[in-house]
Amino acid sequence: PSSELLNGTSVAQNEHREDLINKINDNNIDTLLPKRVSLTPGIHKYVIIEARKKRKEDDSPQTAKSPKSKPLRFVRSASPSECGGPYHADVASSLVKELTSLGYDVTVVGGGRIDYNEYAPHAHVYGFSYGFGKGDHALVAQIIEQFGEDGVVATFDNSNSLY
């Protein structure tokens, strides 16, 4: 017969079951994502990271006309003792590994510094990263206010003179 049986079910039924499991896994992986904003009190380096869901190998190839998925953006600041070193790459490292392990293509799109006072609560975004370039400070401030701790007011300075 055209529909072979595997363990008492047809190939079509097994494929349907596999599709459902993949959909469930794809939907649940987003619940495993790290916080979109993580700020360490004080003046520390930060990175802004864009993550896009990896396309499955069996999907048709992307053409110039097919839209890219909308990126998820993450903001991290950390002290050198927290992230293992003094560079922006150190701040990004653990988050890049975590997002990659969850099936995301990850790009560090910029960086700078964040002066975060958790008691005010206020975060001031400024500066640049030699390794990743200057982050979009206005966007970072918006992400902090949208996804950060409740009530954090974020400001930014795009001056090129600030380190």
Side-chain angles (χ1 to χ4, degrees):
S2 62
S3 77
E4 298 174 32
L5 290 180
L6 297 172
N7 298 328
T9 59
S10 72
V11 172
Q13 287 172 319
N14 279 325
E15 287 173 359
H16 178 70
R17 182 178 299 140
E18 207 170 291
D19 286 343
L20 287 174
I21 290 169
N22 286 337
K23 284 181 185 177
I24 290 168
N25 287 339
D26 286 348
N27 290 335
N28 287 337
I29 202 160
D30 290 339
T31 63
L32 301 175
L33 287 172
K35 293 186 335 184
R36 300 284 286 275
V37 173
S38 177
L39 304 177
T40 296
I43 299 173
H44 300 291
K45 292 181 178 180
Y46 88 86
V47 290
I48 179 170
I49 295 174
E50 288 187 351
R52 284 186 166 81
K53 192 76 173 146
K54 283 185 183 175
R55 295 182 50 242
K56 290 185 176 67
E57 289 179 28
D58 59 351
D59 287 349
S60 60
Q62 254 184 339
T63 65
K65 292 183 182 180
S66 67
K68 281 188 167 184
S69 64
K70 186 176 179 181
L72 297 174
R73 293 186 177 96
F74 297 82
V75 174
R76 289 289 178 274
S77 77
S79 69
S81 62
E82 279 181 294
C83 64
Y87 301 106
H88 286 92
D90 298 318
V91 176
S93 179
S94 65
L95 182 58
V96 167
K97 287 177 188 170
E98 185 174 0
L99 290 168
T100 301
S101 74
L102 291 171
Y104 285 83
D105 285 322
V106 179
T107 305
V108 181
V109 295
R113 286 184 169 46
I114 295 178
D115 182 353
Y116 175 51
N117 180 339
E118 65 185 321
Y119 302 109
H122 179 256
H124 184 66
V125 184
Y126 65 98
F128 62 92
S129 163
Y130 283 111
F132 300 115
K134 184 175 174 180
D136 182 340
H137 301 329
L139 176 61
V140 170
Q142 179 183 359
I143 292 168
I144 290 170
E145 288 187 347
Q146 183 177 358
F147 295 104
E149 300 296 322
D150 287 341
V152 173
V153 174
T155 57
F156 63 95
D157 186 336
N158 276 326
S159 299
N160 288 325
S161 62
L162 294 174
Y163 182 71

